[in-house]
Amino acid sequence: MAMNDLADAFYDELRDIYHAEKQLLKALPKMAKKASKEDLAEAFREHLAETEEHVKRAEQAFEETGKAARAKKCEAMAGLIKEAEEEMKESADPEVMDAMLIALAQKVEHYEIATYGTLCTWAKALGYDKAKDLLGQNMKDEESADKKLTKLSRKINVTAMS
C-alpha cells in the first residue's frame, strides 16, 4: 500500500491494531488458563471481554476512512504472542509463572497504548472525530488493564521471590 499522506498511514496502522486485537482473542484464554492465581486469571478473562469490544470499535473506526475493515498482519503482536507461548512452556513455580505472565501481558498493553495513542493523534489531525473517540476508549481500557496488572504484580512478585 502506498503511503501518500497521513490518511494512508492511519488506515495502515488501524489495519495493524485490528489484527493485533484479533490475535489477542486467541492468546488471552491461554494466559488465563496458565495463571495459577484466580485474580490473575480473572483479569485475563475480563480483558478478553474488553478485547472483543476493541475489535468492534476498531471496525467502527474504519468507517471514517471510507475503506474496508481489513486486517494487516501485526508482526509486533505476533512476536509478543510467540514470546508468551514460549515462556508459558517453561518449567516454573506457579508464582513465578504468574509473575512472568504479568510481564508478558504488560508488554502487550504498552504496545497497544503506544499504537492507540498514535492513532488518536492522527485521527484528531485528520478530523476523524468518531474514530478518535472509539480508539481513545480502547486506549483507556488498555491503560486500565496495565494498572490492574501492576497492582496484581505487587502481590504476586512477593510470593514469587520465596
Side-chain angles (χ1 to χ4, degrees):
M1 179 178 153
M3 298 291 158
N4 297 317
D5 56 25
L6 190 60
D8 290 341
F10 177 85
Y11 180 67
D12 188 66
E13 194 65 20
L14 184 57
R15 291 177 60 213
D16 186 81
I17 196 68
Y18 182 50
H19 187 264
E21 295 287 14
K22 287 184 164 193
Q23 289 182 74
L24 285 174
L25 293 175
K26 297 174 187 170
L28 285 166
K30 295 175 188 175
M31 294 176 81
K33 186 175 181 180
K34 189 72 176 178
S36 69
K37 297 279 186 267
E38 181 53 34
D39 52 354
L40 180 58
E42 181 60 25
F44 289 139
R45 287 190 294 268
E46 286 175 8
H47 198 56
L48 175 62
E50 288 177 342
T51 302
E52 290 168 351
E53 287 300 312
H54 296 168
V55 169
K56 291 175 188 172
R57 288 183 194 134
E59 289 170 347
Q60 293 172 335
F62 277 104
E63 293 172 11
E64 284 187 300
T65 69
K67 297 177 184 173
R70 248 183 49 232
K72 173 187 121 179
K73 184 173 182 183
C74 179
E75 297 291 348
M77 188 61 72
L80 290 168
I81 289 172
K82 181 179 179 188
E83 178 182 350
E85 288 171 347
E86 289 175 11
E87 290 290 327
M88 287 190 291
K89 292 177 188 172
E90 292 291 328
S91 174
D93 289 334
E95 294 83 8
V96 174
M97 179 56 69
D98 286 346
M100 291 167 50
L101 288 169
I102 290 171
L104 294 163
Q106 286 191 297
K107 288 179 184 183
V108 167
E109 296 308 330
H110 292 195
Y111 172 77
E112 290 178 302
I113 291 165
T115 302
Y116 282 122
T118 296
L119 283 167
C120 287
T121 299
W122 290 353
K124 182 177 180 181
L126 293 164
Y128 296 166
D129 296 331
K130 181 179 177 187
K132 181 185 172 295
D133 291 344
L134 291 164
L135 300 173
Q137 289 174 346
N138 285 4
M139 186 168 68
K140 286 178 185 171
D141 288 348
E142 305 299 1
E143 290 169 337
S144 176
D146 182 52
K147 287 177 184 168
K148 184 182 287 184
L149 289 167
T150 296
K151 185 176 179 184
L152 286 169
S153 76
R154 289 187 184 112
K155 178 176 58 172
I156 289 170
N157 290 347
V158 170
T159 61
M161 290 172 40
S162 40

